[in-house]
Amino acid sequence: MSGEGSARKLANFGDLLTVDEMAAVLDSSKRTVYRLCDKDELPYVKVGRRLYFPKHEVADKLRLVEVV
């Protein structure tokens, strides 16, 4: 995943990303996103049974510089 392309994708979303949106940013499946969460490789917040991904924490984790 290229940093610049991912930063552009992240800029299209709000401050909290859903699992579907996170999969789109990573160009992967929802299953992969859940696996990354299980391994603590993605920062997330759990609200009830749903997972949300804080955009700026994801950008920091993926070492993305240019996030709007």
Side-chain angles (χ1 to χ4, degrees):
M1 172 175 66
S2 74
E4 186 176 315
S6 297
R8 255 191 310 256
K9 289 179 187 178
L10 272 175
N12 294 328
F13 299 111
D15 291 334
L16 289 176
L17 284 74
T18 65
V19 173
D20 288 328
E21 293 169 339
M22 195 69 236
V25 168
L26 298 175
D27 286 328
S28 65
S29 68
K30 292 192 309 185
R31 185 175 181 179
T32 299
V33 172
Y34 286 119
R35 284 182 182 165
L36 290 171
C37 291
D38 287 341
K39 294 179 185 179
D40 288 328
E41 293 183 19
L42 279 178
Y44 66 91
V45 176
K46 192 168 184 178
V47 179
R49 296 179 65 193
R50 297 178 187 250
L51 298 180
Y52 295 96
F53 303 88
K55 181 167 49 173
H56 292 296
E57 289 183 35
V58 169
D60 289 343
K61 181 70 174 185
L62 299 176
R63 293 185 178 96
L64 302 176
V65 178
E66 190 177 321
V67 177
V68 177

